[in-house]
């Protein structure tokens, strides 16, 4: 929803339906191939134009930084600087997506801010140029500007929208209550590869939903493989993976019966306890 001085946007989380790593690049990043899809769980971003000053407020289920280390605020400051704009802004972020969960919440917030400001301030920038600007904020930010499932390559910034989507749309998402550092996950992966404990992906041809970071992350965070094994053994999902660099685990099911999903979430809550963050979701073909 938008008016002449206000806009309200949805910033969905994403899941990685496979994440393959094909070695390290000269720029220090890893060469990736991952199919990413936006889901029905997400944050809310409200932006109001002011005559001057920047006001930034956060609320919701999770505490996040309120300074320029927050990607939503960083995106706003980058946009204003890039286009030489002096307007003031009030930004309210309602945080629903857990941070450090491999769900791209911060990146999605940043993309929502760029997309919203482009409309609210009538810049009418091309998507190609907006994606270039987004890439300055992080590898996942351009994906959320595309607003649909996509195969992402390079360091994640090269996007190819999917014309077909071979996976079920409904699933279960579990966040254990602790984050996993993305730099740590890739560093541990590299160290285990050097020791021969992990074998790098052999080629860029892979249609199997495999996350190459799982072994590295699971080697320390033993809760995650235990939960994955429990889901697989009790509910037989079509896909069950850690998303991104963790710490969330998701499962997709081809079932349609609402009673199955009600039973699924009740059993997960009973097994994992009331403090565990557990949600049902659907994959969005577009948002």
């Amino acid at each position: 929803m938008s008016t002449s001085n206000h806009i309200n946007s949805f910033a969905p989380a994403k899941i990685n339906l496979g994440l393959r790593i094909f070695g390290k690049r000269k720029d220090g990043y890893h060469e990736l191939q991952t199919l990413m899809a936006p889901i029905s769980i997400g944050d809310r971003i409200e932006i109001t134009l002011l005559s001057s000053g920047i006001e930034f407020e956060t609320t919701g289920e999770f505490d996040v930084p309120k300074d320029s280390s927050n990607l939503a605020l960083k995106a706003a400051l980058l946009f204003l600087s890039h286009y030489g704009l002096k307007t003031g802004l009030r930004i309210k972020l309602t945080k629903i997506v857990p941070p450090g969960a491999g769900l791209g919440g911060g990146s999605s917030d940043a993309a929502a801010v760029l997309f919203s400001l482009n409309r609210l301030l009538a810049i009418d920038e091309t998507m190609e140029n907006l994606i270039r600007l987004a890439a300055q904020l992080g590898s996942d930010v351009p994906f959320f500007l595309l607003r649909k499932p996509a195969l992402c390559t390079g360091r994640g910034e090269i996007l190819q929208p999917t014309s077909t989507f071979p996976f079920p749309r409904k699933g279960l998402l579990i966040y254990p209550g602790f984050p996993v550092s993305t730099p740590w996950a890739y560093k541990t992966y590299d160290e285990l590869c050097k020791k021969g404990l992990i074998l790098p992906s052999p080629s860029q041809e892979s249609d199997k939903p495999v996350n190459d970071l799982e072994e590295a992350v699971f080697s320390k965070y033993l809760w995650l493989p235990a939960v994955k094994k429990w889901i697989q053994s009790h509910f037989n999902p079509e896909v069950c993976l850690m998303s991104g660099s963790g710490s969330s685990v998701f499962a997709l099911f081809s079932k349609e019966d609402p009673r199955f999903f009600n039973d699924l979430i009740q059993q997960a809550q009973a097994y994992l306890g009331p403090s565990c963050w557990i949600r049902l979701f659907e994959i969005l073909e577009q948002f």
Side-chain angles (χ1 to χ4, degrees), residues 119-136:
R119 291 182 58 191
L120 187 60
L121 296 170
I123 301 299
D124 200 27
E125 182 60 276
T126 65
M127 184 56 63
E128 183 180 0
N129 287 337
L130 212 56
I131 283 174
R132 287 198 190 99
L133 192 63
Q136 297 180 37

Side-chain angles (χ1 to χ4, degrees), residues 167-229:
F167 299 104
R169 275 26 178 215
K170 295 182 179 180
L172 178 75
L173 182 63
I174 297 173
Y175 168 66
F178 58 81
V180 169
S181 163
T182 296
W184 173 87
Y186 279 97
K187 180 181 178 183
T188 303
Y189 170 85
D190 289 338
E191 290 171 350
L192 293 177
C193 282
K194 288 178 182 177
K195 294 176 181 178
L197 300 176
I198 291 180
L199 296 177
S201 296
S203 73
Q204 295 195 19
E205 296 299 322
S206 175
D207 56 1
K208 294 181 179 180
V210 174
N211 186 337
D212 286 344
L213 287 175
E214 281 192 349
E215 278 192 79
V217 175
F218 287 3
S219 68
K220 178 178 179 180
Y221 298 98
L222 303 181
W223 190 95
L224 299 177
V227 168
K228 179 178 177 179
K229 183 177 180 180

Side-chain angles (χ1 to χ4, degrees), residues 27-83:
D27 60 8
Y29 289 95
H30 291 77
E31 192 69 29
L32 304 178
Q33 176 182 291
T34 179
L35 176 59
M36 297 205 294
I39 63 174
S40 55
I41 299 168
D43 298 336
R44 303 296 314 189
I45 302 277
E46 296 178 56
I47 303 177
T48 304
L49 297 183
L50 303 176
S51 58
S52 63
I54 303 293
E55 299 177 11
F56 184 61
E57 175 189 353
T58 66
T59 186
E61 297 183 34
F62 298 96
D63 291 328
V64 290
K66 295 176 174 59
D67 58 20
S68 60
S69 64
N70 189 298
L71 278 175
L73 179 54
K74 184 180 287 188
L77 295 174
L78 175 64
F79 191 93
L80 295 180
S81 173
H82 183 78
Y83 293 104

